[in-house]
Amino acid sequence: MEYKFSKKLAELKPSAIREIFKSLSDPTIISFAAGNPSPDSFPVDDLARLSAEIFENEASFALQYGITEGYMPLREAIAARQKSRFGEGMVRDCDTTLVVTGGQQGIEPACKAFCNEGDAVICENPSFIGALNSFRSNGARTIGVEMEEDGISLEKLEETLKTVKNAKLLYLIPTFQNPSGTCMSLEKRKAVLALAKKYEIMIIEDNPYGELRFAGEDIPTMKSLDSDGLVIYCSSLSKILSAGMRIGFVIAPSEVASKMVVAKQAEDVHTNLFFQMLCHKYMTTCDLDAHIAKINELYRHKCNLMLECIDKYIPADKVTFTRPEGGLFIWGTVKDCTDASFVVKKAIEKKVAVVPGTAFNCDTEAPSPSFRLNYSTPSDEQIIEGVKRLGEVFTSL
Amino acid sequence: MEYKFSKKLAELKPSAIREIFKSLSDPTIISFAAGNPSPDSFPVDDLARLSAEIFENEASFALQYGITEGYMPLREAIAARQKSRFGEGMVRDCDTTLVVTGGQQGIEPACKAFCNEGDAVICENPSFIGALNSFRSNGARTIGVEMEEDGISLEKLEETLKTVKNAKLLYLIPTFQNPSGTCMSLEKRKAVLALAKKYEIMIIEDNPYGELRFAGEDIPTMKSLDSDGLVIYCSSLSKILSAGMRIGFVIAPSEVASKMVVAKQAEDVHTNLFFQMLCHKYMTTCDLDAHIAKINELYRHKCNLMLECIDKYIPADKVTFTRPEGGLFIWGTVKDCTDASFVVKKAIEKKVAVVPGTAFNCDTEAPSPSFRLNYSTPSDEQIIEGVKRLGEVFTSL
């Protein structure tokens, strides 16, 4: 049988990062390639105890079909936390909070709800490959807009909004952008919202790392600033409770949320109900703030350690690095270089895995002078040894 | 903001059944409308014990990101069981077994992999609304083919294959078809495979109820009969371990499976890893056969009870009913009638919920002389009282 695949999937490759993740079975490789939270960030003892309680008291309900929108007590707990953490504007009267199967499932149904095949999604360039592939797998074109130090270029964004036909969505990670680590300034957030209103385009605000700030001050989310129903807010509990459980959430104008529910229903009916109940129990009976403070203490340490090693081992005249105030990543850019793919290749020869910048390009053919490093997964020893080896890549140039 | 939704989702309504499910909060209503497994079918004590073991010994792995294809030991356990249960042909050397987020997530990525917007999916008419909505949510047209007592009409199927343009998939539930309860005969399964080969169309064989046979003899699955790589086999553990955990699986030619992995990756990255491990532990350390035998004993009893009540309370000259050998549903058809929607309305006045046949039509505007009854969820008392009330709908005609 010669298979004739759909146009949208015929050419689409699996995420380079997920593929790298699979190839890391070689235990001698030090991986800075993952986007995994530290296993130390999982509150195992509390989850084990609460899980036993659910089996004891609510098993019939937890193991049965649930409704697509999600377990109501968890939806309420998430809405309450988002409001207390990021402001009352996070969930307005006209909004609905949904539970989805990881943050990823906030993005994909949003694209399905708005994009016909051939429509465009405007993205920061570089951007999160998982989201780019969500758009591509729905037959949408991804149009990249250049980044500046304080986020997306306003000038280029307006130019794109003026010229690109059938642009239906603007996908942004305003806080600790993946992969660049950039935070969009407050002024820019307001200006982007004004542009979205002017050009009548919906914004997906992806905020998986918002709770992972270990330095500096919070900047209001775009969702909290939006009074025009322009923002679909996607986030998850992956980075603060468990990634493997696949519990994410969406806060969106109710009319939009109801379309996303129809799309989700046709994809997986609903999200694992047992873990929805487990998250609800954790959020309402344990000290989530203290737990997150512990995670951020850990990541502050790991990030600082990696930056110290970078300063020590990697020649500053050859590569520049971001100095993030949160999130999971450091973004390196080779000076006077258009294509840094040699770094990835030479690093893997030295048994260090990093992600090539090309993986995050909207244009899959374009080169990149950058690469991404993760500090949350490796041990302290691995960070020291790995950056040392990475330094050899550059000193031997 | 006036939202401009995609063509494919603009008109798509949530599943009538899921909506009915939500409206069943009225405890005085007897529901024959669900498709839920009996809560007695969940092996709660074993799952609780094995869950505690995972938290004790493998928590860091279980709560971390996994790979999109699924937890390898579970994939192997599923492949082994399918082979031992339904024959060596279930998983051939050229096949791949994937874990997905419920059986529903086998269907949707298959559609994404093969269908461009406007392409057609040929379906039994009536068919499973969740699958129909998966196709519609991808912008595919659903083309219904008439059913006969032993499955889809071969004559009508070939006529459709000849005339419908861009038909990319043939969606079938050959065993205990939902909603009609029909089993496709062995001859017909072979003939349909031959037609699929002749017209070069892929088959999705959806088999959620295959393990739920409580009378009669197994008929080989289409997957086990297919040596041409034509069949994408979708099933789940929802009806034998837990529906709420959302663990399903796909067995497909590897080339097809790899496209479905790309689609799934963009949807939810991977399926809840903790429950994948829990299912693996259950399947390899507990007696699944004995557990399924217990479920089937229960359903045989409930189905027989409902049929006895039907014989007693519903006039045989007014309605005919299927007499299933497995699965979860009985399908009623009103004689000399084209539109049985009055049954649903009158039943709900008597506080009994049934699903109108129209919910399963490929053509959403077409009427239906039928309605679906579920016997797995209601208690014995509810079955007796509910069928009695349903009888009054017809005796008062």
Side-chain angles (χ1 to χ4, degrees):
Chain A
M1 181 77 181
E2 197 189 318
Y3 301 110
K4 289 171 204 133
F5 295 112
S6 66
K7 277 181 226 139
K8 50 191 182 261
L9 279 203
E11 299 298 320
L12 189 54
K13 301 275 182 307
S15 153
I17 300 168
R18 306 301 305 168
E19 295 307 298
I20 289 171
F21 182 69
K22 272 198 278 184
S23 71
L24 292 181
S25 47
D26 177 350
T28 67
I29 287 182
I30 295 175
S31 174
F32 297 153
N36 290 12
S38 167
D40 298 334
S41 69
F42 309 146
V44 175
D45 293 344
D46 284 327
L47 294 179
R49 178 176 49 79
L50 297 171
S51 173
E53 280 181 28
I54 295 173
F55 275 117
E56 182 72 26
N57 305 315
E58 301 171 273
S60 295
F61 185 85
L63 298 173
Q64 187 57 278
Y65 281 117
I67 63 170
T68 307
E69 288 83 348
Y71 178 57
M72 184 55 90
L74 177 61
R75 294 165 67 194
E76 288 168 352
I78 287 170
R81 172 156 187 96
Q82 292 298 309
K83 283 205 258 189
S84 77
R85 186 68 185 72
F86 297 115
E88 283 296 313
M90 283 303 292
V91 191
R92 295 171 197 248
D93 290 343
C94 51
D95 286 335
T96 296
T97 305
L98 302 174
V99 178
V100 290
T101 306
Q104 185 81 30
Q105 209 195 43
I107 299 163
E108 199 273 346
C111 180
K112 218 177 224 170
F114 284 98
C115 291
N116 297 307
E117 284 177 11
D119 284 350
V121 180
I122 301 174
C123 307
E124 295 157 323
N125 194 44
S127 188
F128 170 47
I129 185 173
L132 298 179
N133 278 352
S134 273
F135 306 140
R136 292 165 182 151
S137 74
N138 274 289
R141 296 170 293 142
T142 54
I143 309 289
V145 174
E146 219 169 271
M147 295 284 284
E148 295 164 346
E149 263 180 40
D150 60 345
I152 197 165
S153 158
L154 284 178
E155 201 187 322
K156 294 280 165 63
L157 174 59
E158 180 149 23
E159 202 179 296
T160 305
L161 285 166
K162 268 186 194 158
T163 54
V164 170
K165 279 199 181 136
N166 298 320
K168 298 294 172 67
L169 291 168
L170 173 55
Y171 173 75
L172 302 168
I173 311 168
T175 305
F176 311 131
Q177 206 258 358
N178 179 9
S180 73
T182 311
C183 282
M184 196 189 296
S185 65
L186 178 59
E187 297 66 40
K188 224 167 219 191
R189 292 175 190 224
K190 289 179 180 168
V192 170
L193 278 168
L195 282 176
K197 189 173 178 179
K198 180 175 168 188
Y199 291 93
E200 293 188 337
I201 190 168
M202 291 297 292
I203 293 170
I204 300 178
E205 179 179 23
D206 192 9
N207 193 21
Y209 316 111
E211 298 262 20
L212 301 185
R213 176 176 285 282
F214 48 72
E217 295 291 322
D218 272 342
I219 305 168
T221 62
M222 296 186 72
K223 176 72 187 142
S224 70
L225 299 169
D226 166 39
S227 54
D228 296 299
L230 293 165
V231 176
I232 300 165
Y233 183 86
C234 301
S235 186
S236 82
L237 305 178
S238 294
K239 307 300 187 287
I240 55 176
L241 287 180
S242 154
M245 69 180 177
R246 314 306 301 131
I247 305 283
F249 58 90
V250 169
I251 307 168
S254 301
E255 201 186 332
V256 175
S258 72
K259 286 292 169 200
M260 292 175 68
V261 166
V262 175
K264 174 178 170 53
Q265 193 168 79
E267 287 182 5
D268 68 2
V269 188
H270 67 81
T271 296
N272 183 295
L273 182 52
F274 188 98
F275 265 84
Q276 290 191 64
M277 293 168 72
L278 188 53
C279 288
H280 166 253
K281 273 188 179 282
Y282 186 90
M283 289 179 75
T284 53
T285 66
C286 299
D287 190 343
L288 183 59
D289 284 325
H291 175 66
I292 292 174
K294 226 178 65 185
I295 297 174
N296 284 334
E297 198 49 58
L298 176 72
Y299 290 171
R300 176 190 294 118
H301 161 76
K302 282 185 179 288
C303 179
N304 286 344
L305 176 64
M306 188 172 264
L307 288 169
E308 279 165 29
C309 294
I310 283 171
D311 290 342
K312 190 166 170 190
Y313 296 116
I314 302 185
D317 58 333
K318 291 188 178 158
V319 202
T320 58
F321 290 91
T322 54
R323 301 203 160 245
E325 297 186 328
L328 304 177
F329 307 112
I330 293 174
W331 183 241
T333 301
V334 184
K335 285 184 186 173
D336 305 321
C337 166
T338 52
D339 178 7
S341 56
F342 73 94
V343 176
V344 182
K345 276 181 217 135
K346 291 199 173 224
I348 205 76
E349 282 167 20
K350 294 182 188 294
K351 303 252 181 197
V352 179
V354 308
V355 185
T358 49
F360 308 98
N361 276 339
C362 292
D363 172 0
T364 53
E365 305 293 312
S368 168
S370 303
F371 55 92
R372 194 190 74 176
L373 304 178
N374 163 266
Y375 49 77
S376 58
T377 320
S379 66
D380 287 6
E381 294 67 33
Q382 288 177 317
I383 288 175
I384 296 165
E385 176 61 24
V387 175
K388 202 169 163 183
R389 293 188 202 166
L390 198 58
E392 293 165 13
V393 169
F394 297 101
T395 49
S396 70
L397 278 185
Chain B
M1 181 79 182
E2 197 189 317
Y3 301 111
K4 288 172 205 131
F5 295 110
S6 67
K7 276 179 230 142
K8 51 191 181 261
L9 279 203
E11 299 298 319
L12 189 54
K13 301 278 182 304
S15 152
I17 300 167
R18 308 300 305 166
E19 295 306 300
I20 289 171
F21 183 70
K22 271 197 281 183
S23 72
L24 292 183
S25 46
D26 177 350
T28 67
I29 287 182
I30 294 174
S31 176
F32 298 152
N36 290 12
S38 166
D40 297 334
S41 69
F42 309 146
V44 175
D45 293 345
D46 285 326
L47 294 179
R49 177 177 50 79
L50 298 170
S51 173
E53 280 181 28
I54 296 173
F55 274 117
E56 183 73 25
N57 304 318
E58 303 172 271
S60 295
F61 185 86
L63 298 172
Q64 187 57 278
Y65 281 118
I67 65 169
T68 306
E69 289 83 348
Y71 179 58
M72 184 56 90
L74 177 61
R75 293 165 66 194
E76 289 168 352
I78 286 169
R81 175 161 184 90
Q82 292 298 309
K83 282 205 259 189
S84 77
R85 186 66 185 75
F86 298 115
E88 282 297 312
M90 282 304 291
V91 190
R92 294 169 196 250
D93 290 344
C94 53
D95 286 333
T96 297
T97 305
L98 303 173
V99 179
V100 289
T101 307
Q104 185 81 32
Q105 209 193 43
I107 300 163
E108 199 274 345
C111 180
K112 221 178 221 167
F114 284 97
C115 291
N116 298 307
E117 284 176 10
D119 284 351
V121 181
I122 301 175
C123 307
E124 295 156 323
N125 194 42
S127 187
F128 170 48
I129 185 172
L132 298 178
N133 278 351
S134 273
F135 306 140
R136 291 166 182 149
S137 75
N138 275 289
R141 295 169 295 140
T142 55
I143 309 289
V145 174
E146 221 169 89
M147 296 284 283
E148 295 164 348
E149 261 181 41
D150 61 345
I152 196 164
S153 157
L154 285 177
E155 198 187 326
K156 295 281 167 62
L157 174 59
E158 182 149 23
E159 199 179 297
T160 305
L161 286 165
K162 269 186 192 159
T163 52
V164 170
K165 280 201 180 134
N166 297 318
K168 300 293 172 69
L169 290 168
L170 172 55
Y171 173 75
L172 302 169
I173 312 168
T175 304
F176 310 131
Q177 204 256 1
N178 178 8
S180 72
T182 310
C183 280
M184 197 189 297
S185 64
L186 177 59
E187 297 67 38
K188 223 166 222 192
R189 289 174 193 225
K190 289 178 179 168
V192 170
L193 279 167
L195 282 176
K197 190 173 178 182
K198 179 174 172 190
Y199 290 93
E200 292 188 339
I201 189 168
M202 292 295 292
I203 293 170
I204 300 177
E205 179 179 22
D206 191 8
N207 192 20
Y209 316 110
E211 298 263 21
L212 301 184
R213 176 176 286 281
F214 48 72
E217 293 292 322
D218 272 342
I219 305 167
T221 63
M222 296 186 71
K223 175 74 188 141
S224 70
L225 299 168
D226 167 39
S227 55
D228 296 299
L230 293 165
V231 176
I232 301 165
Y233 182 87
C234 301
S235 185
S236 83
L237 305 178
S238 295
K239 307 299 188 283
I240 56 178
L241 287 180
S242 153
M245 69 180 178
R246 315 305 302 129
I247 305 284
F249 58 90
V250 168
I251 306 169
S254 300
E255 202 186 332
V256 175
S258 74
K259 285 295 168 196
M260 292 175 67
V261 166
V262 175
K264 174 177 169 55
Q265 194 168 77
E267 288 183 6
D268 67 2
V269 187
H270 68 81
T271 296
N272 184 296
L273 182 53
F274 188 99
F275 265 84
Q276 290 190 65
M277 295 168 72
L278 188 52
C279 289
H280 167 252
K281 273 187 179 282
Y282 185 90
M283 288 179 75
T284 52
T285 66
C286 299
D287 189 344
L288 183 58
D289 284 325
H291 175 66
I292 291 175
K294 224 178 65 185
I295 297 175
N296 283 335
E297 200 48 59
L298 176 71
Y299 290 172
R300 175 190 296 120
H301 162 76
K302 281 184 181 287
C303 179
N304 285 344
L305 177 64
M306 188 173 265
L307 287 170
E308 278 165 30
C309 293
I310 283 172
D311 291 342
K312 189 166 170 191
Y313 297 116
I314 302 186
D317 59 332
K318 291 188 178 160
V319 201
T320 59
F321 289 91
T322 54
R323 299 199 163 248
E325 297 186 330
L328 304 176
F329 307 112
I330 293 173
W331 183 241
T333 301
V334 184
K335 285 186 186 171
D336 306 320
C337 165
T338 51
D339 178 6
S341 57
F342 73 94
V343 176
V344 182
K345 278 182 215 132
K346 288 198 177 227
I348 205 77
E349 281 168 21
K350 294 184 187 292
K351 303 254 183 195
V352 179
V354 307
V355 185
T358 49
F360 307 98
N361 276 338
C362 292
D363 172 359
T364 53
E365 304 293 312
S368 168
S370 302
F371 55 93
R372 193 189 74 178
L373 303 179
N374 163 266
Y375 50 77
S376 59
T377 321
S379 67
D380 287 6
E381 293 68 33
Q382 288 176 317
I383 289 176
I384 296 166
E385 176 61 25
V387 175
K388 201 168 163 184
R389 291 189 202 166
L390 199 57
E392 293 165 13
V393 168
F394 296 102
T395 47
S396 70
L397 278 185

